[in-house]
Amino acid sequence: MNLSDQLIQFLLSGFATGSIYALIGLGFSIIYNATGIINFAQGEFVMLGGMVTVFFLTSLHIPLPAAILGAVAITTFVGLLFERLAIRPIRKATPINLVIITIGGSILIRGLAMLIWGKDTHAIPGFSGEEPIMIGNASLLPQHLWIFGMTTLAIIASKVFFNYTISGKAMRACAFNPRAASLIGIDVKRMVLFSFVISSAMGSVAGFIIAPLTMTSYDVGIMLGLKGFCAAIIGGMSSGLGTVLGGIILGVLESLGAGLISSGYKDAVAFIILLLILFIRPQGIFKRAESERV
Amino acid sequence: MKRIALFSVTLLLLTGVIPAFAAQPIKIGALFAITGPASFLGEPERNTAQMVVDEINKKGGIKGRKVEFIAYDTQGDATKAKQLVNKLIKNDKVSAIVGPSTTGETMAILDDVEKAGIPLISCAAGSKITDPVKKFVFKTAQNDSLAVAKIYEYLKKKNMTRVAILTVSDGFGSSGREQLKAQVANYGIQIVVDDTYAPKDTDMTSQLTKIRGSQAQAVICWGTNPGPAVIAKNAKQLGLKLPLFMSHGVSSKKFIELAGDAAEGIILPSGKVLVADLLSKNDKQKQSLISFVKDYQSHFKAEGDHFGGHAWDAVMLLKHAIGRRGEAPAAIAAELEKTRNFAGIGGTFTFSPQDHAGLTKDAFVLVEIKNKDWVLVK
């Protein structure tokens, strides 16, 4: 197998992993855009999406589509509870306090998941079988197509929502200036709650869609959450294409790094990019610098 | 009235107090990582050890003396292990100690048991625990080097000389990698790709693509779940035709469940407990293995694994040693060293003053995964 064939496989693998990061990153940017806080419990929503699906499939023997719907419903409910019990009571706090609260929340959710389901890793069968699809000499799994499809759907939906619906515009207004937003009659608290509901639902979608590929356990949320955060930062916390491109850049660089240099540097690649961007272009590589920081 | 009172006092003394003088229990301490990241080791080990001790006591103890079993949870933390080993030695005054579960914890407490002269039977695999030999330290888990030897022996038989190795970047993987590299010369094997992955990685197609482009004739992957299952799936996705070998780190049904169809045809070295009922009647370990698997199943409604087996071996070795010359720590250590051909779960143990690990590569068998189950590789 020659180098160009290998390169195509590296790019394809990177693209697939990157789409996963992008889907998770979108969850981060939605809450950031509505509230100005970074929700570090986002990775736990991803974990819940996968683990609840596994629970429904293996313990209750519910068919896959129903198990998935159930997992999204439960994760969304957890997101709603999380906002109600941990974020809303201290809305007057500074963003940094809230960010730390989300870290605490993520540890709590992870701990509860461990107590309920134990520490084992679980797998879900692929949605459309596991026969690889060959593209030249490179290959993909049918599950990757599900991920691409779901990520595309998520970008389109969030684009439409934030730019063309009243609720979406109201949410953006809240992030920009909560006081002004409430003065013109937007219910800020409801918008914040709403943003947690959307992003926990989106996290759970990422969770069940990647579970057949990467498998799931109570602690997958940490690393996936951090990679998603990385993707969102590269994309400048945009709730659309920026984050998606961020995720794909990250995935491709990781894959090339592991394939051409050494896999030891794989995670280092991600976090060096994260640090560089935070130092040099904190607004992300696709956004023009804002004159006013929110 | 006075007489009745006297009589009852005498009765009380006879029934309550006097038997306590007669049989002080033999105290055996244990340190296991029952919770925390290594709990997949510590939990079955604690369960098994407790089960064996209960069984011994039910049958009247060791030479009529009950065994008191004191187990502490180290949470996989070497600092905790060091505190708890001193508690076992100084407060509980145990005669011998079973555990800890991991190599790191064991290394941390070696000095303490050596200084106190209390025999320790570790359930961890690292070969440096008993190399060089310490007077009071033994171990029951098989050395990695034996598993590597088992795979290389098979490769040599099949005339495969070029291998790619893919190891996880944690303690288990790097110890395996050291052994894989150290033993190549003995078998005329050449490592053409030497790559690693991180324990939480979710996609290893990059590494496998590189291996596909190399001259390798076989791939050896060294890790614990879930990484190897991801690798099996990725290899299938890439249509990798090379035979895939795994380590004994995934020798459990869990791996087959995780990897699904991708597990078919994978070969790995495993302790014999996995294939207890497939072994030939002449196998010396068969009786121990079957009784362990059956007991564990009836006590805990789960399949006994080789981790629990390490604790089974440790407690049984102690039982025999104490049965021969009593519970004085120095006598236990001396008797352990004289153990010959003890057919346990992890293998057939023969200790000597030069060898406190006691196993040969016959402790492992090679198994292949076929139709979601194990078959012995001849």
Side-chain angles (χ1 to χ4, degrees), chain A residues 3-65:
Chain A
L3 192 65
S4 70
D5 275 347
Q6 286 195 20
L7 266 181
I8 294 172
Q9 182 66 52
F10 292 150
L11 290 176
L12 216 54
S13 297
F15 194 73
T17 324
S19 305
I20 298 172
Y21 297 159
L23 202 54
I24 300 165
L26 280 175
F28 275 96
S29 54
I30 287 173
I31 291 186
Y32 180 79
N33 282 330
T35 63
I37 65 171
I38 291 162
N39 171 29
F40 278 107
Q42 188 63 28
E44 307 316 315
F45 295 146
V46 178
M47 177 274 290
L48 282 178
M51 287 302 281
V52 177
T53 309
V54 168
F55 171 70
F56 279 146
L57 272 180
T58 55
S59 301
L60 306 180
H61 302 290
I62 293 174
L64 187 67

Side-chain angles (χ1 to χ4, degrees), chain A residues 1 6 9-10 13 119-123 131-132 137 139-141 144 212 214-215 219 255 258-259 263 266, chain B residues 36 39 195-198 200-203 205-207 209-210 212-213 226 229-230 233 236-238 254 257-258:
Chain A
M1 192 174 183
Q6 286 195 20
Q9 182 66 52
F10 292 150
S13 297
K119 301 184 196 92
D120 269 348
T121 306
H122 303 273
E131 277 311 306
N137 273 327
S139 60
L140 275 181
L141 287 175
H144 287 127
T214 65
M215 286 168 263
D219 61 351
S255 166
S263 42
K266 194 171 162 186
Chain B
S39 63
D195 218 334
T196 59
Y197 65 92
K200 292 272 158 216
D201 277 0
T202 52
D203 182 271
T205 44
S206 297
Q207 290 95 320
T209 304
K210 201 155 69 175
R212 187 166 65 171
V230 176
K233 286 186 175 188
K236 191 176 177 224
Q237 178 203 329
L238 293 173
K254 190 77 204 168
E257 182 196 320
L258 290 177

Side-chain angles (χ1 to χ4, degrees), chain B residues 133-149:
Chain B
V133 172
K134 288 119 202 137
K135 194 166 174 223
F136 290 95
V137 181
F138 298 81
K139 75 195 220 18
T140 54
Q142 305 96 332
N143 283 341
D144 292 339
S145 56
L146 304 177
V148 170

Side-chain angles (χ1 to χ4, degrees), chain A residues 1-2 79 92-93 106 110-111 133 155 160 167 181 195 227 249 251 274:
Chain A
M1 192 174 183
N2 56 31
K92 289 279 181 311
S106 79
R110 193 153 64 235
I133 301 163
I155 312 167
V160 170
S167 308
S195 74
K227 294 285 173 69
I249 290 175
L274 177 70

Side-chain angles (χ1 to χ4, degrees), chain B residues 328-351:
Chain B
I332 296 179
E335 284 302 319
L336 279 174
E337 207 165 71
K338 289 185 195 145
T339 303
R340 298 281 176 278
N341 295 320
F342 165 72
I345 306 300
T348 304
F349 292 86
T350 299
F351 292 130

Side-chain angles (χ1 to χ4, degrees), chain A residues 9 39 51 57 61 64 66 100 129 146 148 161 165 180-181 184 203 212 228 238-239 269 275 287 291:
Chain A
Q9 182 66 52
N39 171 29
M51 287 302 281
L57 272 180
H61 302 290
L64 187 67
I100 289 168
W146 279 95
F148 297 151
F161 177 75
T165 67
I184 57 164
S238 90
S239 50
V269 167
L275 289 177
K287 254 191 194 166
S291 50

